[in-house]
Amino acid sequence: MTSERRFYLTTPIYYVNDKPHIGHAYTSLAADVLARWKRLSGHEVFFLTGTDEHGQKVEKAAEAKGLDPQSFTDQVSQAFRDLAMRMNYSNDAFIRTTEERHKDACAALWKRLEERGQIYLGHYEGWYAVRDEAFYGPDEITDKDGQKFAPTGAPVEWVREPSYFFRLSEWQDRLLAFYDANPDFIAPASRRNEVISFVKGGLNDLSISRTSFRWGVKVPGDEAHVMYVWLDALTNYITALGYPDENASLWKFWPADVHFVGKDILRFHAIYWPAFLMAADLPTPKRVFAHGWWTNEGQKISKSLGNVIDPLALVEEFGLDPVRFFLLREVPFGQDGDFQRKALVGRLNGELADALGNLANRTLSLLQRNCEGRLPEPAAVTSEADREFVALAGHAELSAAVGGLLDQQKFDAALAQVFAAIREANGYITREQPWALKKTDPERMRVVLRTLHDALRVFATLLQPFMPDTMAKLLDQLAVPAEARGLEALATPLPGGTPLPPPSPLFQKIQGEPA
């Protein structure tokens, strides 16, 4: 298989200082949908997620719980594994930065940078935010009631300690040239502009080790130091592929096709990471996509307000696939979004139950009653109505449109494209009235029902990445064999006479909620 048919995508590795929330679920969901789409398209896919378990913040969180850091991270990391399983993510691997293979990879990258003259010993003095595990320049610090704060709102403290430095300042011009040569490297465009503006403002050498705490990867040859948590964390993306063994079976997937990240960690992925890689003479990832944040009913989400959204509680209440659908349908990926219950209920009742669910149930029930529960022969498109409908809901056109949008991470627009076709299908069945055609033109009735069945097969196939369980159920009801559920299989019609199982509802409407 050529590299063009391979696809490597990652979530951030999630910081284990607290339990998973809606933001974690959202990032991983986007990666999962794209991974599933690429597999449907015939790609060989490697999809990675995991947990970031080192650093001062974790050390302090463990201490607050009365646990040693390893026991603490074992517990919290498992919560992220459980989230991935409950949300039905299809990740191929789950990495933890406390694994020995990862420590070995970090040491190898450090030595490679050191050999190339990119690391030197000095001392760090400046503002540091434990919450962000990040250093900030004086121009980024604000003062409120005598307390200093980072741009993120995290409190900062003045730190002075011995430190190894990475020569980041040497990479300023080369990074700007890299962004210019790779305009799609940072997305969306607004984030790209932010990063370029920051780099043009000047880059200082980066402190990449600490001596004031112990919970981290030891610096090779100087164990008084632990590696800066971001050098450690970013390396996970190559650890999982076997680095430093560039003959490992998974190394063929590097460079990554897309790193999905929250906008708060874009700087680390779009500045530090490519600089580390270029300095180590390793290929850079092709794309970093930074999504926005969720608010809850118009309010900023925070533990102090008690409005943190638990994704597993949402799944328990509304069902897994409706929640997966809603999170990527409601807001353009890359923008901030507001979670509202009435919006979720509206999408579930309107688009899922009424538009798609009702279309499937009407079509399949009519096939049961009027075609002896068997699929009619493939329809010859003869009428103008059929031609117009097939042009909108045909597999080639719709697949290409959805694939193009997903390649740009426009998940909401891809779903909108499919649901526009579903609305057309509902208009088609209403106009053609196959229930009335049984008496007046039974042959025309069979053409209409076969055309609708073919369209439903297209919709169910294309929606599998978003709602895998429910679309598997619909494809079962459409009698599509398991081996014929990829995109290429849509070009081969199902044979006429195929027996169809009795239909059952796909979605349950939510009653009694405000509209």
Side-chain angles (χ1 to χ4, degrees):
M1 184 173 286
T2 65
S3 61
E4 288 74 26
R5 301 298 286 170
R6 294 191 190 109
F7 202 84
Y8 178 33
L9 69 171
T10 72
T11 72
I13 49 171
Y14 298 115
Y15 211 51
V16 294
N17 63 314
D18 209 345
K19 66 180 185 178
H21 55 67
I22 195 75
H24 304 118
Y26 184 54
T27 321
S28 293
L29 174 60
D32 180 58
V33 167
L34 187 56
R36 288 177 180 274
W37 178 265
K38 289 298 178 181
R39 293 189 194 104
L40 278 184
S41 307
H43 287 73
E44 184 183 8
V45 171
F46 194 77
F47 166 24
L48 177 69
T49 189
T51 44
D52 177 8
E53 303 180 17
H54 289 134
Q56 193 172 5
K57 188 164 54 172
V58 169
E59 193 173 72
K60 288 188 172 186
E63 187 180 331
K65 294 279 188 181
L67 295 169
D68 65 273
Q70 188 64 59
S71 300
F72 175 76
T73 57
D74 288 347
Q75 287 183 11
V76 186
S77 180
Q78 187 58 47
F80 283 89
R81 282 186 190 269
D82 293 343
L83 176 72
M85 291 182 65
R86 187 68 186 90
M87 294 296 293
N88 197 12
Y89 301 145
S90 62
N91 52 293
D92 297 286
F94 187 101
I95 191 166
R96 299 181 61 186
T97 57
T98 47
E99 295 176 45
E100 287 304 316
R101 62 170 176 155
H102 179 66
K103 296 173 187 175
D104 292 344
C106 290
L109 182 61
W110 182 285
K111 289 174 185 173
R112 190 158 170 159
L113 291 170
E114 203 167 39
E115 287 165 3
R116 284 163 171 73
Q118 294 297 314
I119 292 175
Y120 65 91
L121 181 62
H123 79 270
Y124 177 77
E125 189 168 7
W127 296 107
Y128 185 76
V130 172
R131 193 181 84 188
D132 298 342
E133 299 281 10
F135 304 99
Y136 292 98
D139 57 326
E140 297 180 279
I141 302 303
T142 54
D143 194 316
K144 183 179 179 184
D145 300 327
Q147 172 71 59
K148 306 287 188 185
F149 293 92
T152 59
V156 294
E157 57 188 40
W158 189 261
V159 172
R160 190 182 194 283
E161 60 182 292
S163 177
Y164 285 92
F165 286 82
F166 171 70
R167 298 185 189 278
L168 184 64
S169 59
E170 292 185 2
W171 292 90
Q172 178 175 331
D173 291 343
R174 280 176 277 191
L175 281 168
L176 291 171
F178 172 73
Y179 303 145
D180 190 50
N182 299 276
D184 295 329
F185 174 66
I186 302 168
S190 58
R191 303 288 171 219
R192 181 176 186 272
N193 297 336
E194 288 173 15
V195 168
I196 290 173
S197 176
F198 182 86
V199 174
K200 282 182 175 178
L203 294 177
N204 297 316
D205 288 351
L206 180 66
S207 171
I208 55 169
S209 76
R210 302 291 306 278
T211 58
S212 55
F213 64 93
R214 305 305 307 143
W215 185 241
V217 178
K218 303 292 186 293
V219 167
D222 192 348
E223 294 201 351
H225 292 251
V226 296
M227 289 185 199
Y228 174 42
V229 71
W230 274 104
L231 176 57
D232 162 5
L234 290 163
T235 305
N236 94 87
Y237 301 128
I238 53 177
T239 298
L241 301 182
Y243 184 81
D245 180 5
E246 295 182 33
N247 293 312
S249 61
L250 293 175
W251 188 251
K252 64 188 179 185
F253 284 101
W254 190 256
D257 291 271
V258 59
H259 291 313
F260 285 99
V261 300
K263 64 180 182 179
D264 54 322
I265 57 172
L266 176 60
R267 182 186 301 182
F268 307 104
H269 286 80
I271 300 174
Y272 300 168
W273 185 221
F276 292 154
L277 290 167
M278 287 190 285
D281 195 25
L282 290 168
T284 52
K286 298 173 187 175
R287 188 173 178 85
V288 177
F289 195 104
H291 65 74
W293 288 337
W294 286 90
T295 52
N296 188 352
E297 305 287 351
Q299 281 191 311
K300 183 179 179 181
I301 293 175
S302 73
K303 284 193 284 187
S304 60
L305 290 174
N307 66 347
V308 174
I309 302 170
D310 180 353
L312 299 184
L314 283 182
V315 168
E316 191 67 31
E317 183 174 3
F318 295 103
L320 174 57
D321 281 351
V323 169
R324 286 176 58 108
F325 170 81
F326 172 78
L327 289 176
L328 292 178
R329 176 73 177 99
E330 183 68 7
V331 178
F333 195 68
Q335 296 182 19
D336 291 341
D338 186 40
F339 175 85
Q340 296 183 358
R341 282 180 62 88
K342 67 179 182 181
L344 197 164
V345 171
R347 295 280 186 199
L348 198 166
N349 288 350
E351 290 184 314
L352 296 184
D354 286 345
L356 177 56
N358 194 38
L359 174 69
N361 202 56
R362 289 166 83 192
T363 301
L364 291 168
S365 295
L366 286 166
L367 283 164
Q368 284 293 322
R369 288 199 302 270
N370 300 335
C371 299
E372 300 174 335
R374 290 185 177 274
L375 186 62
E377 293 296 326
V381 176
T382 55
S383 76
E384 188 59 31
D386 295 345
R387 272 192 290 274
E388 288 178 4
F389 175 54
V390 170
L392 286 163
H395 68 87
E397 298 82 356
L398 202 51
S399 295
V402 169
L405 291 164
L406 291 181
D407 280 340
Q408 300 172 68
Q409 289 77 64
K410 294 182 177 179
F411 298 97
D412 66 309
L415 285 168
Q417 193 92 20
V418 177
F419 275 81
I422 289 170
R423 283 195 300 276
E424 288 296 329
N426 276 298
Y428 177 77
I429 194 173
T430 299
R431 290 190 301 273
E432 296 298 318
Q433 299 186 346
W435 51 88
L437 288 170
K438 185 174 185 184
K439 292 181 180 177
T440 60
D441 191 345
E443 184 54 37
R444 175 65 187 158
M445 175 202 71
R446 283 189 284 273
V447 169
V448 169
L449 290 177
R450 174 67 200 226
T451 302
L452 285 163
H453 182 283
D454 289 348
L456 279 166
R457 180 189 175 192
V458 173
F459 304 151
T461 300
L462 301 189
L463 290 172
Q464 284 177 101
F466 295 90
M467 298 181 284
D469 289 345
T470 310
M471 292 307 101
K473 182 178 175 183
L474 177 52
L475 288 164
D476 287 344
Q477 293 182 31
L478 294 167
V480 179
E483 66 276 10
R485 297 183 179 187
L487 298 184
E488 288 186 1
L490 288 173
T492 305
L494 295 181
T498 299
L500 300 170
S504 59
L506 298 172
F507 303 100
Q508 295 296 325
K509 292 186 76 168
I510 303 295
Q511 307 294 337
E513 288 275 348

Short mmCIF file of all heavy atoms in Angstrom, two decimals, residues 112-144:
data_model
loop_
_atom_site.label_atom_id
_atom_site.label_comp_id
_atom_site.label_asym_id
_atom_site.label_seq_id
_atom_site.Cartn_x
_atom_site.Cartn_y
_atom_site.Cartn_z
N ARG A 112 19.48 13.21 20.20
CA ARG A 112 19.59 13.63 18.80
C ARG A 112 19.66 15.15 18.70
O ARG A 112 20.45 15.70 17.91
CB ARG A 112 18.38 13.09 18.02
CG ARG A 112 18.47 13.23 16.53
CD ARG A 112 17.56 12.23 15.87
NE ARG A 112 17.41 12.46 14.44
CZ ARG A 112 17.01 11.54 13.58
NH1 ARG A 112 16.73 10.31 14.00
NH2 ARG A 112 16.89 11.82 12.30
N LEU A 113 18.85 15.84 19.49
CA LEU A 113 18.90 17.31 19.50
C LEU A 113 20.23 17.79 20.07
O LEU A 113 20.82 18.77 19.58
CB LEU A 113 17.73 17.85 20.33
CG LEU A 113 16.34 17.65 19.72
CD1 LEU A 113 15.25 18.01 20.74
CD2 LEU A 113 16.16 18.49 18.46
N GLU A 114 20.70 17.10 21.11
CA GLU A 114 21.96 17.47 21.75
C GLU A 114 23.13 17.30 20.77
O GLU A 114 24.00 18.19 20.66
CB GLU A 114 22.16 16.59 22.98
CG GLU A 114 23.07 17.15 24.04
CD GLU A 114 22.96 16.35 25.33
OE1 GLU A 114 22.83 15.10 25.28
OE2 GLU A 114 23.00 16.99 26.40
N GLU A 115 23.13 16.19 20.06
CA GLU A 115 24.20 15.93 19.08
C GLU A 115 24.24 16.99 17.98
O GLU A 115 25.31 17.26 17.41
CB GLU A 115 23.99 14.55 18.45
CG GLU A 115 24.30 13.39 19.37
CD GLU A 115 23.75 12.07 18.86
OE1 GLU A 115 23.16 12.06 17.74
OE2 GLU A 115 23.85 11.06 19.57
N ARG A 116 23.09 17.58 17.70
CA ARG A 116 23.03 18.59 16.64
C ARG A 116 23.22 20.00 17.21
O ARG A 116 22.95 20.99 16.51
CB ARG A 116 21.68 18.48 15.91
CG ARG A 116 21.65 17.28 14.96
CD ARG A 116 20.23 16.90 14.54
NE ARG A 116 20.23 15.91 13.48
CZ ARG A 116 20.54 14.63 13.63
NH1 ARG A 116 20.89 14.17 14.82
NH2 ARG A 116 20.51 13.78 12.61
N GLY A 117 23.66 20.09 18.44
CA GLY A 117 23.97 21.39 19.03
C GLY A 117 22.75 22.23 19.34
O GLY A 117 22.85 23.46 19.44
N GLN A 118 21.60 21.58 19.53
CA GLN A 118 20.35 22.32 19.74
C GLN A 118 19.99 22.49 21.22
O GLN A 118 18.99 23.12 21.54
CB GLN A 118 19.21 21.61 19.01
CG GLN A 118 19.34 21.63 17.51
CD GLN A 118 19.30 23.04 16.95
OE1 GLN A 118 18.46 23.86 17.32
NE2 GLN A 118 20.23 23.35 16.05
N ILE A 119 20.78 21.90 22.11
CA ILE A 119 20.50 21.97 23.55
C ILE A 119 21.74 22.47 24.28
O ILE A 119 22.86 22.06 23.97
CB ILE A 119 20.10 20.57 24.09
CG1 ILE A 119 18.74 20.14 23.52
CG2 ILE A 119 20.03 20.58 25.62
CD1 ILE A 119 18.31 18.73 23.91
N TYR A 120 21.54 23.39 25.23
CA TYR A 120 22.65 23.86 26.06
C TYR A 120 22.15 24.06 27.50
O TYR A 120 20.95 24.22 27.73
CB TYR A 120 23.24 25.15 25.51
CG TYR A 120 22.30 26.35 25.53
CD1 TYR A 120 22.27 27.22 26.62
CD2 TYR A 120 21.46 26.62 24.44
CE1 TYR A 120 21.42 28.31 26.64
CE2 TYR A 120 20.61 27.71 24.45
CZ TYR A 120 20.58 28.56 25.54
OH TYR A 120 19.74 29.64 25.57
N LEU A 121 23.07 24.03 28.45
CA LEU A 121 22.73 24.18 29.87
C LEU A 121 22.87 25.65 30.28
O LEU A 121 23.86 26.31 29.96
CB LEU A 121 23.66 23.31 30.73
CG LEU A 121 23.42 23.34 32.24
CD1 LEU A 121 22.03 22.82 32.58
CD2 LEU A 121 24.47 22.49 32.96
N GLY A 122 21.87 26.12 30.98
CA GLY A 122 21.88 27.48 31.51
C GLY A 122 21.04 27.51 32.78
O GLY A 122 20.98 26.53 33.53
N HIS A 123 20.40 28.62 33.02
CA HIS A 123 19.42 28.65 34.12
C HIS A 123 18.22 29.46 33.66
O HIS A 123 18.36 30.40 32.86
CB HIS A 123 20.01 29.19 35.43
CG HIS A 123 20.12 30.69 35.47
ND1 HIS A 123 21.24 31.36 35.04
CD2 HIS A 123 19.24 31.64 35.88
CE1 HIS A 123 21.05 32.65 35.19
NE2 HIS A 123 19.85 32.85 35.70
N TYR A 124 17.06 29.05 34.15
CA TYR A 124 15.82 29.72 33.77
C TYR A 124 15.40 30.67 34.86
O TYR A 124 15.45 30.34 36.05
CB TYR A 124 14.69 28.71 33.52
CG TYR A 124 13.39 29.41 33.20
CD1 TYR A 124 13.17 29.95 31.94
CD2 TYR A 124 12.42 29.59 34.17
CE1 TYR A 124 12.01 30.65 31.65
CE2 TYR A 124 11.25 30.28 33.89
CZ TYR A 124 11.05 30.81 32.63
OH TYR A 124 9.91 31.50 32.34
N GLU A 125 14.95 31.82 34.45
CA GLU A 125 14.39 32.78 35.39
C GLU A 125 13.22 33.46 34.71
O GLU A 125 13.38 34.07 33.65
CB GLU A 125 15.45 33.81 35.80
CG GLU A 125 15.01 34.70 36.94
CD GLU A 125 16.17 35.51 37.52
OE1 GLU A 125 17.28 35.46 36.95
OE2 GLU A 125 15.96 36.18 38.54
N GLY A 126 12.05 33.30 35.26
CA GLY A 126 10.88 33.92 34.63
C GLY A 126 9.58 33.40 35.19
O GLY A 126 9.55 32.71 36.22
N TRP A 127 8.49 33.75 34.49
CA TRP A 127 7.15 33.41 34.96
C TRP A 127 6.73 32.04 34.44
O TRP A 127 6.85 31.75 33.26
CB TRP A 127 6.15 34.47 34.49
CG TRP A 127 6.41 35.82 35.07
CD1 TRP A 127 6.92 36.91 34.43
CD2 TRP A 127 6.19 36.22 36.43
NE1 TRP A 127 7.03 37.97 35.29
CE2 TRP A 127 6.58 37.58 36.53
CE3 TRP A 127 5.70 35.57 37.58
CZ2 TRP A 127 6.49 38.29 37.72
CZ3 TRP A 127 5.61 36.28 38.76
CH2 TRP A 127 6.01 37.62 38.83
N TYR A 128 6.20 31.23 35.36
CA TYR A 128 5.79 29.86 35.02
C TYR A 128 4.41 29.59 35.60
O TYR A 128 4.14 29.91 36.77
CB TYR A 128 6.78 28.83 35.58
CG TYR A 128 6.50 27.41 35.17
CD1 TYR A 128 6.81 26.97 33.88
CD2 TYR A 128 5.92 26.51 36.05
CE1 TYR A 128 6.55 25.68 33.48
CE2 TYR A 128 5.65 25.20 35.66
CZ TYR A 128 5.97 24.79 34.38
OH TYR A 128 5.70 23.50 33.98
N ALA A 129 3.52 28.99 34.78
CA ALA A 129 2.17 28.61 35.24
C ALA A 129 2.13 27.10 35.41
O ALA A 129 2.24 26.37 34.42
CB ALA A 129 1.12 29.06 34.23
N VAL A 130 1.97 26.66 36.64
CA VAL A 130 1.90 25.21 36.90
C VAL A 130 0.70 24.62 36.18
O VAL A 130 0.77 23.53 35.59
CB VAL A 130 1.84 24.93 38.42
CG1 VAL A 130 1.58 23.45 38.68
CG2 VAL A 130 3.13 25.37 39.09
N ARG A 131 -0.43 25.33 36.22
CA ARG A 131 -1.66 24.79 35.61
C ARG A 131 -1.49 24.52 34.13
O ARG A 131 -1.96 23.52 33.59
CB ARG A 131 -2.83 25.76 35.83
CG ARG A 131 -4.19 25.15 35.51
CD ARG A 131 -5.30 26.16 35.73
NE ARG A 131 -5.47 27.02 34.56
CZ ARG A 131 -6.26 28.09 34.55
NH1 ARG A 131 -6.91 28.45 35.64
NH2 ARG A 131 -6.38 28.82 33.44
N ASP A 132 -0.78 25.42 33.44
CA ASP A 132 -0.59 25.27 31.99
C ASP A 132 0.67 24.49 31.65
O ASP A 132 0.88 24.14 30.48
CB ASP A 132 -0.48 26.65 31.32
CG ASP A 132 -1.73 27.49 31.50
OD1 ASP A 132 -2.79 26.91 31.83
OD2 ASP A 132 -1.65 28.71 31.31
N GLU A 133 1.53 24.25 32.65
CA GLU A 133 2.86 23.68 32.40
C GLU A 133 3.55 24.49 31.28
O GLU A 133 4.07 23.95 30.31
CB GLU A 133 2.76 22.19 32.00
CG GLU A 133 2.12 21.30 33.05
CD GLU A 133 3.06 20.91 34.19
OE1 GLU A 133 4.16 21.49 34.28
OE2 GLU A 133 2.70 20.04 34.99
N ALA A 134 3.50 25.81 31.44
CA ALA A 134 4.02 26.69 30.38
C ALA A 134 4.73 27.90 30.97
O ALA A 134 4.38 28.39 32.05
CB ALA A 134 2.88 27.14 29.47
N PHE A 135 5.73 28.38 30.22
CA PHE A 135 6.46 29.59 30.56
C PHE A 135 5.85 30.76 29.79
O PHE A 135 5.43 30.60 28.64
CB PHE A 135 7.94 29.45 30.18
CG PHE A 135 8.62 28.27 30.80
CD1 PHE A 135 8.80 27.09 30.08
CD2 PHE A 135 9.07 28.32 32.11
CE1 PHE A 135 9.44 26.01 30.64
CE2 PHE A 135 9.71 27.23 32.68
CZ PHE A 135 9.89 26.06 31.95
N TYR A 136 5.86 31.94 30.41
CA TYR A 136 5.30 33.13 29.76
C TYR A 136 6.26 34.30 29.87
O TYR A 136 6.95 34.46 30.88
CB TYR A 136 3.95 33.50 30.38
CG TYR A 136 2.87 32.47 30.09
CD1 TYR A 136 2.55 31.49 31.02
CD2 TYR A 136 2.22 32.46 28.86
CE1 TYR A 136 1.58 30.53 30.75
CE2 TYR A 136 1.24 31.50 28.58
CZ TYR A 136 0.93 30.55 29.52
OH TYR A 136 -0.02 29.59 29.24
N GLY A 137 6.28 35.13 28.82
CA GLY A 137 7.12 36.32 28.81
C GLY A 137 6.50 37.44 29.62
O GLY A 137 5.28 37.45 29.86
N PRO A 138 7.30 38.42 30.04
CA PRO A 138 6.79 39.53 30.85
C PRO A 138 5.64 40.27 30.18
O PRO A 138 4.72 40.75 30.86
CB PRO A 138 8.02 40.44 31.00
CG PRO A 138 9.20 39.57 30.72
CD PRO A 138 8.73 38.52 29.75
N ASP A 139 5.67 40.37 28.85
CA ASP A 139 4.63 41.10 28.13
C ASP A 139 3.30 40.35 28.12
O ASP A 139 2.27 40.91 27.74
CB ASP A 139 5.07 41.38 26.69
CG ASP A 139 5.43 40.11 25.94
OD1 ASP A 139 5.96 39.17 26.57
OD2 ASP A 139 5.17 40.04 24.73
N GLU A 140 3.31 39.07 28.52
CA GLU A 140 2.08 38.28 28.52
C GLU A 140 1.41 38.24 29.90
O GLU A 140 0.32 37.71 30.04
CB GLU A 140 2.38 36.83 28.08
CG GLU A 140 2.91 36.72 26.66
CD GLU A 140 3.19 35.27 26.29
OE1 GLU A 140 4.25 34.75 26.68
OE2 GLU A 140 2.31 34.66 25.64
N ILE A 141 2.05 38.79 30.91
CA ILE A 141 1.59 38.67 32.29
C ILE A 141 0.70 39.86 32.65
O ILE A 141 1.00 41.00 32.32
CB ILE A 141 2.79 38.59 33.26
CG1 ILE A 141 3.69 37.40 32.90
CG2 ILE A 141 2.32 38.49 34.70
CD1 ILE A 141 3.00 36.05 32.89
N THR A 142 -0.40 39.57 33.33
CA THR A 142 -1.28 40.64 33.86
C THR A 142 -1.29 40.57 35.38
O THR A 142 -1.03 39.51 35.97
CB THR A 142 -2.71 40.50 33.33
OG1 THR A 142 -3.20 39.18 33.62
CG2 THR A 142 -2.76 40.72 31.83
N ASP A 143 -1.60 41.70 35.99
CA ASP A 143 -1.59 41.81 37.46
C ASP A 143 -3.01 42.11 37.92
O ASP A 143 -3.66 43.04 37.43
CB ASP A 143 -0.64 42.95 37.87
CG ASP A 143 -0.31 42.90 39.35
OD1 ASP A 143 -1.24 42.68 40.14
OD2 ASP A 143 0.87 43.08 39.70
N LYS A 144 -3.49 41.29 38.89
CA LYS A 144 -4.83 41.52 39.44
C LYS A 144 -4.78 41.29 40.94
O LYS A 144 -4.48 40.19 41.40
CB LYS A 144 -5.85 40.59 38.79
CG LYS A 144 -7.28 40.83 39.25
CD LYS A 144 -8.25 39.89 38.54
CE LYS A 144 -9.67 40.13 39.03
NZ LYS A 144 -10.63 39.17 38.43
#
